[in-house]
Amino acid sequence: MTSRPAADGSVAAAIALAGCGVAWLVLLIVSVLATLGASTDGALAVTETAYGLPAVIFAALLAGVAVSQAVRRSADRWLGPAVVLRAVVTVACGGLVGAGAAAGVVVGDGRGGSAVAILGWALLAGGVTGGALVGLHRRAGVLAGAVAAAALVVAVLMTLRELFTATLLDLFGAGDTPASVLAAQSRLTWTAALLAGALAGVVAFGRLHLAVRRSGRPLPWPAYLIAGGGAGLLLLIAELITRVGGAQLLDLARSFSDSDDTFQALANAARINSALVVVFAGAFTALLCLGRTLPGRAAADGPVAGRPPGDQPAPERAMSDRAELDLGSR
């Protein structure tokens, strides 16, 4: 007896996504190490590490999810319905990703110190959490692939925003006064989050839609809702790990001056707001895309072109015709 195809796409696509997730994590770790190595001021190094901590943890979460879903996809035929074994395998995969990232930071920096140690433990926590999310449910693999792909898009967009912040602030109306800069920063943050959420929703829907077409096993609409908002949920989880695992580092970064305290408070609030916007924008976009692909509009569209009035299809047949046309056009 042949087994039914899994609903989470091909093994090759899952492995490619895992490779992209790991590559992104390595890129951020190299960037953090370069920043630490170039800084001769200890206070500045702590501040910059605290500011970049959520992005690195988010990358560890992303890599943990991507690698775990690839291993799970490859080993589904051996894992079967074993819930405990599946959870152990995915957590172990995420733990390996986090441990590798932590070791890379500690060894790459070479100087040790509390900031590097905290960063290493936070990376380990991010990887383990990502793996645990993939092992939660028997069909979590299909959602994990979609969420990982969407999260990768969000991570790239957020990084591009940071790289071109000065140019974008001028574009959004930043002037010479602090008030105008704050207003431009707020507009930039909201716009970037909305764009990231919309793209995340489109990517997540595309992954799920392709998986359903390959497997022939439909998914309920809440799956699209979760996948669309999944990238934002990972951002919120990364923020939680940052607040808990990196609390000592954040407190140290705030303690240098009142301006550092204000900066960290504004950065924390901006990250939370951005994550929430990504959640809702992504979920709404994914549901919108799902609604555009549902059959059932043919009967309401009027007579079918090319057919005489007496040969018009019944409503049930019209829905089937429309579904076949939609599938054929893709």
Side-chain angles (χ1 to χ4, degrees), residues 139-246:
R139 299 200 71 183
V142 61
L143 297 180
V147 170
L152 184 60
V153 172
V154 171
V156 172
L157 285 177
M158 294 299 184
T159 303
L160 289 176
R161 185 195 68 183
E162 293 297 326
L163 290 176
F164 298 99
T165 295
T167 303
L168 291 173
L169 285 178
D170 292 337
L171 182 63
F172 279 86
D176 298 329
T177 63
S180 67
V181 173
L182 287 176
Q185 181 69 52
S186 177
R187 289 191 290 268
L188 173 60
T189 300
W190 283 93
T191 303
L194 283 171
L195 178 60
L199 289 177
V202 171
V203 171
F205 166 78
R207 290 275 303 188
L208 290 186
H209 189 60
L210 180 60
V212 168
R213 288 185 61 189
R214 283 173 172 168
S215 68
R217 296 164 60 186
L219 291 169
W221 66 265
Y224 294 88
L225 186 72
I226 296 172
L233 293 176
L234 287 186
L235 284 172
L236 291 174
I237 295 173
E239 186 65 26
L240 177 62
I241 296 175
T242 300
R243 300 289 182 92
V244 176

